[in-house]
Amino acid sequence: MKLVVKKLQGGECCVEALPSTLISEIKRDIYNKLRIPVQEQKLLFLGRTLADEQTVQSYPLIKDGTKLNLVVKKPDGFYETCVKVYKKSGMSDAEAKKTAARLLKVVEEKFNKLSWDDIERLSADCLAYESGQRRPAPVEQETDSDDLFTL
């Protein structure tokens, strides 16, 4: 069956699904078509959230041509992610928040000390990583002693 996925902020796509297709599989198809990370997707049908571990047939009102609404959840920021990781490692809420705030301050201080060249290289590396590419390692060139004195 064909399902129409309508993004609330605009845009839509069609996905093919069988009754046995998991909602999580539909989300992967949406990622492939709209490039919205799965963890940021929330699929709704008739105002209710569809559960990732459920199949299409778990929702009897979903038929060929059904429109599903897609809400894009805002990803957690650096601070929020750090707090979650620290809490999972056993810290109390207060300890996790304090440690995350300290880490955020250290990162900001370190970043502020970078040169523009360093920031440009870091940005290029981040973009390459996100697109699945690796920037080639810089090749160090040996200088001839004669080259040092020529103009």
Side-chain angles (χ1 to χ4, degrees):
M1 73 180 76
K2 188 178 283 192
L3 303 174
V4 178
V5 178
K6 183 159 177 52
K7 186 175 157 192
L8 293 183
Q9 295 87 351
E12 66 179 48
C13 70
C14 291
V15 294
E16 288 289 330
L18 299 170
S20 60
T21 302
L22 291 170
I23 300 303
S24 60
E25 294 174 272
I26 292 173
K27 287 182 174 184
R28 280 195 295 274
D29 285 348
I30 293 168
Y31 170 75
N32 291 331
K33 293 181 179 189
L34 299 178
R35 290 297 192 221
I36 298 167
V38 171
Q39 65 273 16
E40 294 177 19
Q41 297 177 31
K42 184 176 179 180
L43 277 178
L44 304 172
F45 177 62
L46 299 176
R48 302 187 92 164
T49 302
L50 302 180
D52 288 350
E53 66 280 356
Q54 295 295 321
T55 61
V56 172
Q57 66 192 5
S58 304
Y59 301 96
L61 295 177
I62 296 179
K63 307 282 184 214
D64 186 44
T66 296
K67 286 191 178 187
L68 303 177
N69 291 312
L70 174 64
V71 175
V72 180
K73 299 182 282 184
K74 181 182 173 195
D76 287 338
F78 183 70
Y79 173 80
E80 292 82 7
T81 302
C82 289
V83 170
K84 284 182 185 178
V85 169
Y86 292 144
K87 285 172 71 172
K88 281 183 184 177
S89 73
M91 288 185 182
S92 69
D93 188 54
E95 289 174 317
K97 287 179 179 178
K98 185 177 178 181
T99 305
R102 279 197 330 258
L103 176 61
L104 190 60
K105 186 175 181 177
V106 168
V107 168
E108 184 179 2
E109 288 170 357
K110 297 284 185 187
F111 187 82
N112 287 335
K113 292 179 182 176
L114 294 176
S115 70
W116 279 111
D117 288 340
D118 291 336
I119 293 170
E120 185 177 13
R121 278 192 295 277
L122 178 61
S123 300
D125 287 345
C126 290
L127 291 171
Y129 177 81
E130 285 182 1
S131 66
Q133 301 171 347
R134 290 277 184 216
R135 189 169 59 94
V139 179
E140 296 212 16
Q141 297 176 347
E142 292 185 29
T143 29
D144 262 4
S145 58
D146 294 335
D147 290 344
L148 294 174
F149 300 103
T150 57
L151 296 175

